[in-house]
Structure formats: C-alpha cells, structure tokens
Amino acid sequence: MRPVMLFVRTLALSLALSSAALADEVVLRNGSSFTGLVREEGDRIVVEMDFGTMTFKKVDVRSVSKGNDPYSEFETRSKAATDIKGMLELAGWARGKGLGTKAMELYRRILTLDPDQADARKALGYEKFNGQWLTNDELMMARGFVKVNGRWLTKEMAQRLLAQDELARQENDRIELAKRIADQRHEQEMTRIALERLDSERPDRWWWKYGWAYGASPFCGPAGYLLPALPPAGSLPLTPPSVLPLGQPSTLPPGRSR
C-alpha cells in the first residue's frame, strides 16, 4: 500500500509542476522527483514549491539538477508588469509554471485597481449575478438556497428539515421530562418504604413516638436538660406500669420485693 501511495503523491506533484521544467529538480533514490527552488541546508536538501516546502536527507537524494528558477523569473517579470494587461499576462504565466499562489496575489492586486475586471474575478472564483460579483456562500444565498447543517437546500426543503428537527427536539424533551418525573417518584417511594421500615423496627414506647423536650435546670441554673416529651393526654394509662392494682398477683421473681 505504501509504494502505491508514494507513487500517487509523486504523480500528483509531477503533474502540478510539469510545466516548471526549467526549475531545479531533485531525484530521490526511490525514483521520485520534485521540482522547485532547491537549496542545501547542512545534511538536508530543501525544495521550495508553490504550495509548500519539502525537506529530504542528502543520503536519500540521488541527484540534483539545477535549472532556471521560476521564482526569480517571476520577480523579474513582475517589475515590468505595471499595468492591468501586463499583470494579467504575468498571472497566466505564473499559473502555467505552477506558481498558483503568486498568480492569486496578482489577481487580487488587479481588483484593487479595477474591481470589475472580469478575468481576475473569474480566476478568484467570482460569478456575476444580477450585476454583482458574488462567490461561494453569497452566490448560493442570492440564488435562493439556505445552508442547513453544512448543506445547501431550497427554502422548502430547509423549512421541512427544520420542522422535523424541531419535532425531534420536542420529543426528546418530553422523554427526558418523563424520565425525571419517574426518577423523582421512585425516590419518593423508596424514602417512604425506608421510613415505614424504620418505624416498624422501633420499640412501641411513647418517648420514641413523641420525641424529647427541653427542661429548665433546677435551682434556676444556666443550663437545662433533655427529658422525654409528655405524650398527649389519654395516650398513657393513669396507673404506672410498676404499680399493680389491688388483688393482682405480683409478677416479680420469688425472693424479690417491690
């Protein structure tokens, strides 16, 4: 797979720079070749091309063929291109030599001199619509398209898609709300069950049922004390549990007295 990808990359570079035959050429030991402005930096060979720079180790380079530098020739030609016609010719020459970035810079410079220059506008991707030069998103919007989720759609399709998205959002909100309500109800039910279990495990004594109360300290002291709260009237028998009614036999063990 790697040799195939290397061949494809080499072929693409060769096609992009096929017209720059007079530039420097670097041939690698694996047979790949690159053209551009070549210079040496220590143990490396640097190739400057219009779309970027590539660096190779000298041990990987088979040969370097020096030719006329298209970059230097472009700089020489640009000094003579002082009018729009000369700039257009130089931009066309630069594109033919693989100097696309230089050509785009020239076209933008031409538009500063003549904003309505058709060749420069078209080279930069503009299209005239209703008397205005538009490009990319502006042109699509002028034609009545709407961009939704990265796609250009007609207004009808966009409205239909947005309506479907809104319905889906509402349904998701409804499901989330129902889930939250169910979770809250489950939590409340589990709390109720836990409280009922706790009440069933406590002794059936009135101080567990009615809690504790604060009593003032004797002799008007600064501190008080806690004591069981009194139950409501009628909730306890009048006779203390330790006092038996007359005539009822004692339940104490033999030999114990009250």
Side-chain angles (χ1 to χ4, degrees):
M1 179 62 70
R2 186 174 180 180
V4 174
M5 294 300 297
L6 182 61
F7 172 76
V8 172
R9 185 178 67 175
T10 303
L11 180 61
L13 292 174
S14 300
L15 291 175
L17 300 174
S18 59
S19 58
L22 298 180
D24 299 339
E25 182 179 18
V26 174
V27 180
L28 304 181
R29 294 187 181 278
N30 60 11
S32 303
S33 62
F34 303 89
T35 54
L37 179 60
V38 177
R39 69 175 186 272
E40 296 185 12
E41 293 183 355
D43 62 343
R44 297 180 180 274
I45 300 294
V46 180
V47 184
E48 291 186 5
M49 295 171 284
D50 182 60
F51 55 85
T53 301
M54 300 191 71
T55 303
F56 307 98
K57 294 182 180 179
K58 284 186 177 181
V59 295
D60 297 329
V61 177
R62 177 184 299 171
S63 63
V64 176
S65 301
K66 287 289 186 176
N68 293 332
D69 179 14
Y71 296 92
S72 300
E73 187 175 355
F74 176 84
E75 295 299 330
T76 302
R77 287 173 174 256
S78 62
K79 295 178 181 179
T82 57
D83 57 359
I84 292 179
K85 181 180 179 182
M87 292 180 186
L88 286 173
E89 292 177 354
L90 180 57
W93 176 89
R95 295 180 73 176
K97 293 295 183 180
L99 306 180
T101 301
K102 296 293 186 181
M104 294 300 106
E105 292 176 356
L106 273 177
Y107 287 130
R108 284 190 286 268
R109 182 180 172 188
I110 290 172
L111 292 183
T112 62
L113 302 176
D114 183 7
D116 200 43
Q117 215 293 320
D119 293 333
R121 286 285 184 180
K122 292 178 180 179
L124 292 172
Y126 286 88
E127 184 174 340
K128 206 163 191 177
F129 186 84
N130 292 336
Q132 292 184 335
W133 288 104
L134 304 176
T135 183
N136 300 333
D137 292 355
E138 296 177 345
L139 182 60
M140 296 300 292
M141 288 188 292
R143 290 174 174 172
F145 290 89
V146 179
K147 198 172 188 178
V148 178
N149 298 331
R151 295 184 301 167
W152 287 103
L153 305 173
T154 62
K155 290 183 178 180
E156 294 77 9
M157 289 294 297
Q159 292 175 354
R160 186 182 309 170
L161 182 61
L162 291 175
Q164 293 176 356
D165 292 343
E166 179 63 20
L167 290 176
R169 186 189 64 80
Q170 293 178 1
E171 179 64 16
N172 289 336
D173 291 345
R174 185 189 66 79
I175 294 174
E176 288 295 329
L177 179 59
K179 184 178 181 300
R180 288 197 300 269
I181 293 175
D183 291 342
Q184 291 176 358
R185 290 178 177 175
H186 176 73
E187 184 177 355
Q188 292 173 357
E189 180 65 16
M190 296 303 295
T191 302
R192 183 188 64 80
I193 294 174
L195 291 176
E196 290 180 353
R197 181 179 300 172
L198 181 62
D199 290 341
S200 65
E201 293 175 354
R202 288 176 176 174
D204 190 14
R205 299 192 176 122
W206 58 268
W207 54 81
W208 284 102
K209 293 183 178 180
Y210 304 110
W212 299 78
Y214 179 80
S217 69
F219 311 109
C220 300
Y225 54 88
L226 292 175
L227 72 165
L230 294 177
S235 60
L236 289 178
L238 297 178
T239 304
S242 59
V243 179
L244 297 176
L246 294 177
Q248 183 172 346
S250 173
T251 58
L252 294 176
R256 297 291 299 275
S257 61
R258 295 185 180 275

